[in-house]
Amino acid sequence: MVIGNADLVTTKGPTMIASTLHAIAILLKRAKDWDWFINLSASDYPLMSQDELLHIFSFLPRELNFLEHTSNIGWKENQRARPIIVDPGLYHSKKSGVFWAKERRSMPASFKLFMGSTWVVLTKSFLEFCVLGWDNLPRTLLMYYTNFLSSPEGYFHTLACNHKDYQNTTVNHNLHYIRWDSPPKANPINLTLEHYNDMVQSGAPFAGSFARDDLVLDIIDKELLKRPRGQFTPGGWCLGKLGKDPCLAYGNPNAVKPTVVSKRLEKLIVKLLDSENFRPKQCK
C-alpha cells in the first residue's frame, strides 16, 4: 500500500511524527492481520531476509515494543525540550525550515520525558492506542510535541513509558546497527566495508545509514540476503528452479524458510530479554 498524497515533512519538525502516524492510521484501517510496525528510512538496509525476521518474531510475545529510550536526556533538555519551535509544514504548502521562538519553556510536570532512537518496532495494540487514544495521554503528548524539535526522538518513547499498560512492554533496543561520530552529530555516519563484520555480529536485522550504491550493499546482497542483482531476496514463497530467478514462480505468501542467519537475531533477542537486561532497562 502506498499513501497517494505525500505529506509535507519538515526536517526535525513535528510533521515527521505526523507523517508516521498518518501511515499507521492507514495501516490500521486497511490491513487487519499484522503484529508489528517497523519504520525504515531510505538510507537503511536489511541484514537478513524477511523469512529470518518472521521466523524469530513468530516466537515472541505480541506485546513487546522495541524502542531505545532513556529519561536521562542530558544535553537534550536544553537543546530539545526547552526550546519552542514552529513547523511551517503544518500550515503552508511550501517546504522550509522550522521557526524558533524567543521564549523557552519549563519541563513538563504531568509526565516524564523519555528520548531515544528515531527507529522503532512497535506493536499493533500500542499503535491503536496512539491513533485512537482511549484516554487523553496520546492527545496531550501530540500537542506537547507539536512545538518540540525532533519529535520522533521522544513521542513514542514518552507515551509508552508514561502509561501503565505499556511501560512494562518496552525492550530497550531499536533492532538497528548504527554508528555515530564522537561526539554524536545530528545523523549517524555512513556504514562501509569497514563495519561489515560488526554489522553481522550485532545480530540486528537492519543497519543504517548507507551511502547510495556503496560497495558494502553488494556484499550484504551476496553474503547475507542471497539476492542476485536486480532480483528479489528469495523467501519461502519463491518456487522457481535454480538457475533462474526463483521468485518468478511463487506459492503461499505466508510460507517461511529461515536459514542459519536467523540464529544471529535469536541470540540478540535472547540477550535483550534476559532478566539482567529486560526489566532493569525499562523506562528508566
Side-chain angles (χ1 to χ4, degrees), residues 38 40 44-47 53 121 174-178 204-208:
I38 304 172
L40 299 172
D44 293 328
Y45 209 70
L47 299 178
L53 191 63
V121 180
N174 60 10
L175 299 186
H176 269 64
Y177 177 85
I178 300 172
F206 304 102

Side-chain angles (χ1 to χ4, degrees), residues 45 218 221 226-234 245-248:
Y45 209 70
D218 294 329
D221 280 348
K226 310 300 181 185
R227 184 180 81 90
R229 183 177 294 274
Q231 298 181 13
F232 289 109
T233 299
D245 183 351
C247 299
L248 289 176

